[in-house]
């Protein structure tokens, strides 16, 4: 099946710094990418949906100025956590979908720890 | 609103035992239902899906039937293997491709 990668797999940063997480579709063109957040022992929560070349649509309660999403190409979307704080520590997962299908392919996730 | 409730784990079974992981949902409209599996260190992989009531999804010996009357989509396998050890997520998708996931159930199969 289609492959989606995320980089880095783990990141530790200091409070107040910004962190960028990349999501790549390796063998297909992803017209839509989704960003999820997963807290321990909780379900994945959709943060935002991004379509290539347009602004991301954020879910209610997600701060768009804090979680910057860019989907500049059909194979890459980035999530930047700005001015990170310990409460932003979480597992971030992306998924990608091609225009020709309704199947989403998930990345392996990125573990963010903010000290 | 839309939500998924699935059986809490962890679940530990002996090899060849029967597996059931319960999943119930609440949804507006007519959702599609999914089971995803996450092996250690890997991303979520689609295991099976059903798009309308009474549909049965199946894959790798796993089955789940879309039961509208009980709003359920329980995952079953007749004989589990050690290689089935993973975290299983039940999910629904509504219009617009938005997914709602359960909390995941960790399964460990011991030889």
């Amino acid at each position: 099946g289609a492959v989606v990668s995320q980089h880095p797999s783990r990141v530790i940063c200091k409070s107040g710094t910004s962190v960028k997480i990349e999501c790549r579709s390796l063998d297909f063109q992803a017209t839509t990418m989704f960003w999820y957040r997963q807290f321990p022992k909780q379900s994945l929560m959709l943060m935002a949906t991004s379509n290539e070349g347009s602004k991301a649509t954020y879910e209610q309660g997600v701060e768009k100025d804090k979680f910057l999403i860019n989907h500049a190409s059909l194979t890459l979307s980035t999530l930047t956590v700005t001015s990170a704080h310990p409460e932003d520590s979480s597992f971030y997962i992306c998924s990608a979908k091609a225009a020709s299908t309704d199947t989403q392919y998930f990345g392996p996730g990125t573990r963010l720890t903010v000290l | 609103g839309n939500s998924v409730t699935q059986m809490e784990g962890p679940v530990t079974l002996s090899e060849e035992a029967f597996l059931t992981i319960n999943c119930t949902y609440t949804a507006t409209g007519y959702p599609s239902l999914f089971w995803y599996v996450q092996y250690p260190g890997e991303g979520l992989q689609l295991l099976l899906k059903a798009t309308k009531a009474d549909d049965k999804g199946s894959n790798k010996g796993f089955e789940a039937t879309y039961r509208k009357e009980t709003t359920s989509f329980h995952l079953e396998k007749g004989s589990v293997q050690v290689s089935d050890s993973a975290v299983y997520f039940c999910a629904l998708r509504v219009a617009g491709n938005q997914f709602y996931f359960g909390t995941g159930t960790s399964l460990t199969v011991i030889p």
Side-chain angles (χ1 to χ4, degrees):
Chain A
V3 177
V4 175
S5 69
Q6 282 185 239
H7 178 79
S9 57
R10 293 177 179 269
V11 57
I12 300 173
C13 69
K14 293 182 179 180
S15 185
T17 61
S18 295
V19 174
K20 180 183 286 187
I21 302 170
E22 293 184 348
C23 176
R24 293 181 184 273
S25 57
L26 299 184
D27 52 2
F28 69 100
Q29 294 186 325
T31 51
T32 307
M33 287 186 168
F34 305 83
W35 286 96
Y36 296 83
R37 182 174 179 177
Q38 185 180 24
F39 292 99
K41 297 186 178 182
Q42 295 188 28
S43 61
L44 282 71
M45 301 297 295
L46 180 65
M47 298 174 65
T49 302
S50 72
N51 292 294
E52 185 266 338
S54 61
K55 290 184 178 180
T57 301
Y58 289 81
E59 295 302 303
Q60 191 173 7
V62 178
E63 300 176 59
K64 62 180 181 181
D65 294 330
K66 180 168 186 61
F67 298 100
L68 301 179
I69 291 172
N70 183 280
H71 190 171
S73 79
L74 286 171
T75 59
L76 173 65
S77 176
T78 59
L79 167 67
T80 301
V81 183
T82 62
S83 186
H85 289 95
E87 57 266 30
D88 298 326
S89 299
S90 191
F91 196 56
Y92 293 87
I93 300 173
C94 73
S95 70
K97 187 187 83 67
S100 58
T101 176
D102 60 0
T103 300
Q104 291 187 29
Y105 298 94
F106 287 81
T110 297
R111 173 75 60 192
L112 170 64
T113 302
V114 184
L115 302 176
Chain B
N2 301 303
S3 67
V4 174
T5 302
Q6 68 179 96
M7 170 179 163
E8 286 193 22
V11 174
T12 302
L13 294 174
S14 297
E15 205 165 20
E16 299 184 2
F18 184 85
L19 169 71
T20 298
I21 301 178
N22 290 335
C23 172
T24 57
Y25 66 91
T26 303
T28 54
Y30 302 95
S32 295
L33 301 175
F34 302 78
W35 276 100
Y36 280 85
V37 58
Q38 186 175 33
Y39 298 102
E42 299 183 18
L44 293 173
Q45 299 175 26
L46 177 63
L47 180 60
L48 53 84
K49 68 178 182 180
T51 58
K52 62 183 187 297
D54 299 325
D55 270 3
K56 177 187 282 187
S58 61
N59 185 26
K60 300 181 181 180
F62 292 89
E63 293 183 340
T65 301
Y66 189 142
R67 301 284 189 201
K68 188 177 178 182
E69 63 275 15
T70 54
T71 61
S72 65
F73 194 54
H74 304 321
L75 182 68
E76 296 182 337
K77 186 173 185 180
S79 176
V80 293
Q81 305 300 313
V82 173
S83 57
D84 294 326
S85 298
V87 180
Y88 293 82
F89 291 89
C90 184
L92 67 84
R93 187 184 69 206
V94 295
N97 280 296
Q98 183 165 349
F99 275 83
Y100 295 84
F101 286 87
T103 53
T105 301
S106 175
L107 169 67
T108 301
V109 180
I110 54 177

